[in-house]
Amino acid sequence: LIESVTVDDEENAFLYLRLPAESASHFIPKWIPTKRCLAEMLEWVGLSDLTEIPSETSDRTVYLAKRPSD
C-alpha cells in the first residue's frame, strides 16, 4: 500500500517542483509526481499489479501494489 501527494495527470510522467511559499515557515521545496509517474516508478521496481484506491482528498493517490505472480 502506498500513498503519496500527486499531481492529477494520468497521461504524462514527470515530477513537479513545488516551491515553498514566501510566507510559509516550511522552507523545503518538494518534488511531487504525477499519477502516471508514481505508477511508472512502482512498475520500475517490480510492482506492476496496481489498483488505485479512492482517496478522501483530490491531491493524494493511494495504490495497492503487488508483485506479479510468476
Side-chain angles (χ1 to χ4, degrees), residues 48-62:
S48 61
D49 188 7
L50 304 177
T51 303
E52 187 172 350
I53 298 172
S55 176
E56 293 182 11
T57 60
S58 63
D59 67 339
R60 298 212 174 255
T61 299
V62 181

Side-chain angles (χ1 to χ4, degrees), residues 9 42 65:
D9 187 339
L42 293 172

